[in-house]
Amino acid sequence: MNKFPVFVVGVPRSGTTMLRLILDSHKNLALVPESSFFLRMEKLSFLYGDLTKDKNLKGLIEDCLKIQRVSEWSLQERYSVDEILTEIKNKGKPTFKNVFETFYELYAKVKGKSHWGDKTPENL
């Protein structure tokens, strides 16, 4: 997977959705629709404690899958919580960065693409 994702940011009504659709049409690039994934989970990160404990990491994964916009990525139809947990642990010590990265990588795999990105204007 590409370690340098694409982020589309901007102000509302500036054409970010059109740009996302153009980039997403590339055969190797999967850009998730506006998700606010980082912003939602960053505010709650203190709730999960030590992510090296499977219980905490599983709780985070389950909560991420419950976010409406993330649930639309259809990851839970292809991957179990334990499979996602294993993918995260394969990156080394579980961190929030690894959790986010794994979710986006799995989204790209579901779409049959090798690179990923995010279109959330608020990430600006």
Side-chain angles (χ1 to χ4, degrees), residues 28-96:
N28 294 321
L29 183 58
L31 264 83
V32 300
E34 194 168 324
S35 68
S36 302
F37 191 28
F38 297 128
L39 299 171
R40 291 170 194 238
M41 295 313 296
E42 186 243 351
K43 292 176 185 175
L44 302 174
S45 61
F46 70 95
L47 296 173
Y48 299 97
D50 182 0
L51 296 180
T52 61
K53 296 180 180 176
D54 283 358
K55 177 184 172 191
N56 295 345
L57 185 55
K58 278 186 176 185
L60 174 58
I61 294 166
E62 290 167 351
D63 288 349
C64 287
L65 290 171
K66 290 177 187 172
I67 297 172
Q68 181 182 349
R69 290 183 177 177
V70 174
S71 70
E72 294 169 1
W73 299 359
S74 302
L75 298 181
Q76 61 276 27
E77 295 170 15
R78 298 267 306 268
Y79 302 98
S80 70
V81 170
D82 287 332
E83 289 172 319
I84 296 171
L85 183 135
T86 299
E87 289 286 326
I88 294 166
K89 286 181 150 190
N90 285 341
K91 295 179 180 300
K93 182 179 178 182
T95 63
F96 278 92

Side-chain angles (χ1 to χ4, degrees), residues 102-119:
T102 299
F103 270 80
Y104 286 105
E105 287 174 352
L106 293 176
Y107 174 81
K109 282 183 184 179
V110 166
K111 297 294 182 181
K113 298 184 179 188
S114 59
H115 297 68
W116 62 270
D118 182 288
K119 178 264 183 193

